[in-house]
Amino acid sequence: MGKGKLYRVLMHFTTPLHIGEKEKIYNITQTFAHSDMLMSGIINAYSLLYGNSSTNQLVESFLQKSLPFEISSTMPYVGNEFFVPKPIGLHLHLYKDRGIIEVEKDKEIKKVKFIREKDLLSNFPGKYRVAGSFLQPKDMLHKFGDSEKAPSLGKIKERARVSIDRLSSSSNIYYFSHFEFKDNAGLWFYLRINDQSLEDKVKAAIRLLGDEGLGGDRTCGLGSFKVNFEECSMPEENDRTKYYMSLSLVNPQSEDEIKSALYYEILTRSGYIYSKAGLGIKRKAVRAFAEGTVFSGKVCGRVVDVTPQNFSQHRVYCFGLAFLVPLPEGVMMIGN
């Protein structure tokens, strides 16, 4: 956890977004981007603005663990409400038993994926209800729409596409899905600037990423967004801090960091190289702890070299650096 200037970066999407979930599967899209994808986009935009030499110097700083800036994964926001992933291992049934969460059926608790950041960091000071995949205060049930009981980010839609066989000229229809955000909804992420001399450059790279687009089918105009930087703060850790939750993917750099993961999920990250020199070339797969993983102490993570064999134009990296937030004293976890 660095001590640099902290920003909440709001991404207001001006075009639909497609985030692929599996290779060659086009009719499924995720609604948010992991930190490795976001960092890859920022670094590539930085390269477009400032050239290879400056970019190599920036990447080398990450490899040497002198982090010029840090980011989290993207997370949803609706209006002025900012959500974070539910910590893996958070004992919501115990909060229900103590009257903090009201549900009609216990199975509703299993649907919770996102919690308001300020509720989690203050250990749920009010009364709450489950609304779809969100946990929100009772008095907010009708805040997000005329008849909606849950926050709505937008809708998944599909476009019909046609592929033409080069040899036979036969056609094949397939469907390409994308997510359209509502006007008052989008994604946000944390940006911590540790090297103040790079602040303007990093912000410029993020703005350019918004013009270039994030995710798949950018050449068709998908993934474009406008960005807004809001300076903010985060609760300070203290001697009573017992748990840290990751808001990013984490690839542990040591066995001690692996052992410190108390509640976790593991994701496999793969895909194609995102650069002018690497179109259509797959990078090596790597595994990482998912967002919401709870650690018993601070971890750093690492940058992993995923350059495939026979690819010599440049090195390819997957950013698995941790972005942690301290959980409040008294937070109730499963088994504790």
Side-chain angles (χ1 to χ4, degrees):
M1 299 174 65
K3 298 294 184 182
K5 187 183 293 184
L6 188 65
Y7 289 97
R8 195 191 301 273
V9 185
L10 276 62
M11 308 164 74
H12 178 70
F13 284 87
T14 55
T15 62
L17 172 70
H18 174 84
I19 303 291
E21 186 168 316
K22 294 182 179 179
E23 298 173 20
K24 306 296 184 183
I25 303 296
Y26 303 112
N27 61 345
I28 297 176
T29 181
Q30 294 183 346
T31 55
F32 65 93
H34 295 288
S35 54
D36 60 343
M37 172 184 284
L38 180 61
M39 182 65 89
S40 174
I42 294 173
I43 296 295
N44 276 278
Y46 192 95
S47 177
L48 290 174
L49 286 172
Y50 307 110
N52 290 337
S53 177
S54 181
T55 304
N56 291 338
Q57 185 177 355
L58 179 72
V59 172
E60 187 63 26
S61 299
F62 285 104
L63 294 173
Q64 298 300 323
K65 304 288 173 40
S66 176
L67 310 183
F69 67 93
E70 303 166 63
I71 61 168
S72 69
S73 295
T74 59
M75 299 165 283
Y77 76 84
V78 182
N80 294 321
E81 307 298 339
F82 300 94
F83 295 89
V84 296
K86 178 182 76 69
I88 300 170
L90 186 66
H91 204 333
L92 292 182
H93 284 89
L94 194 53
Y95 284 92
K96 186 209 73 170
D97 294 341
R98 297 192 179 187
I100 297 173
I101 298 176
E102 297 179 5
V103 292
E104 296 179 0
K105 300 178 180 178
D106 279 1
K107 63 181 181 181
E108 292 182 25
I109 288 180
K110 296 181 179 179
K111 299 178 182 178
V112 175
K113 295 182 178 179
F114 298 103
I115 296 172
R116 287 199 314 169
E117 180 194 37
K118 57 186 176 184
D119 293 330
L120 175 63
L121 298 184
S122 55
N123 199 15
F124 306 103
K127 301 290 185 181
Y128 298 84
R129 294 290 300 271
V130 177
S133 59
F134 295 84
L135 182 68
Q136 61 180 40
K138 287 180 62 177
D139 58 1
M140 288 179 57
L141 289 180
H142 299 285
K143 178 179 179 179
F144 298 105
D146 296 333
S147 58
E148 298 170 344
K149 292 184 178 180
S152 175
L153 303 177
K155 293 181 179 179
I156 293 178
K157 295 186 177 180
E158 289 186 334
R159 293 178 179 178
R161 298 278 182 85
V162 177
S163 62
I164 306 295
D165 188 278
R166 294 180 179 178
L167 299 178
S168 65
S169 298
S170 62
S171 61
N172 179 46
I173 296 178
Y174 67 97
Y175 291 91
F176 193 94
S177 67
H178 58 259
F179 192 84
E180 288 188 4
F181 286 94
K182 288 185 172 181
D183 287 340
N184 69 336
L187 300 177
W188 72 282
F189 65 93
Y190 273 122
L191 168 67
R192 180 181 286 119
I193 302 290
N194 298 320
D195 185 346
Q196 297 302 317
S197 67
L198 293 178
E199 178 170 345
D200 291 340
K201 288 185 174 181
V202 174
K203 287 182 175 178
I206 295 173
R207 292 190 181 95
L208 178 59
L209 177 62
D211 295 335
E212 292 280 309
L214 181 69
D217 242 19
R218 295 182 298 279
T219 55
C220 294
L222 298 190
S224 297
F225 59 88
K226 298 295 183 184
V227 66
N228 187 33
F229 298 91
E230 295 182 355
E231 194 168 348
C232 62
S233 61
M234 187 178 289
E236 294 290 335
E237 56 188 314
N238 54 51
D239 294 338
R240 297 185 298 275
T241 300
K242 190 175 180 181
Y243 301 110
Y244 295 85
M245 183 181 77
S246 174
L247 296 181
S248 67
L249 296 180
V250 180
N251 187 283
Q253 64 175 350
S254 65
E255 189 169 342
D256 288 341
E257 290 194 349
I258 296 175
K259 291 179 178 177
S260 69
L262 302 177
Y263 308 90
Y264 59 87
E265 289 181 4
I266 296 177
L267 300 180
T268 299
R269 303 293 294 159
S270 60
Y272 293 90
I273 296 173
Y274 174 38
S275 79
K276 292 180 180 178
L279 294 175
I281 300 177
K282 293 180 67 174
R283 64 176 175 85
K284 293 181 180 177
V286 65
R287 308 189 81 182
F289 289 120
E291 300 88 349
T293 293
V294 176
F295 295 92
S296 60
K298 289 187 286 187
V299 297
C300 179
R302 64 172 179 167
V303 180
V304 185
D305 190 331
V306 293
T307 309
Q309 291 182 348
N310 303 323
F311 183 80
S312 58
Q313 284 84 347
H314 57 75
R315 307 306 298 172
V316 183
Y317 298 103
C318 178
F319 284 80
L321 298 167
F323 193 101
L324 303 178
V325 57
L327 294 181
E329 182 183 6
V331 66
M332 294 182 283
M333 309 298 293
I334 294 174
N336 193 344

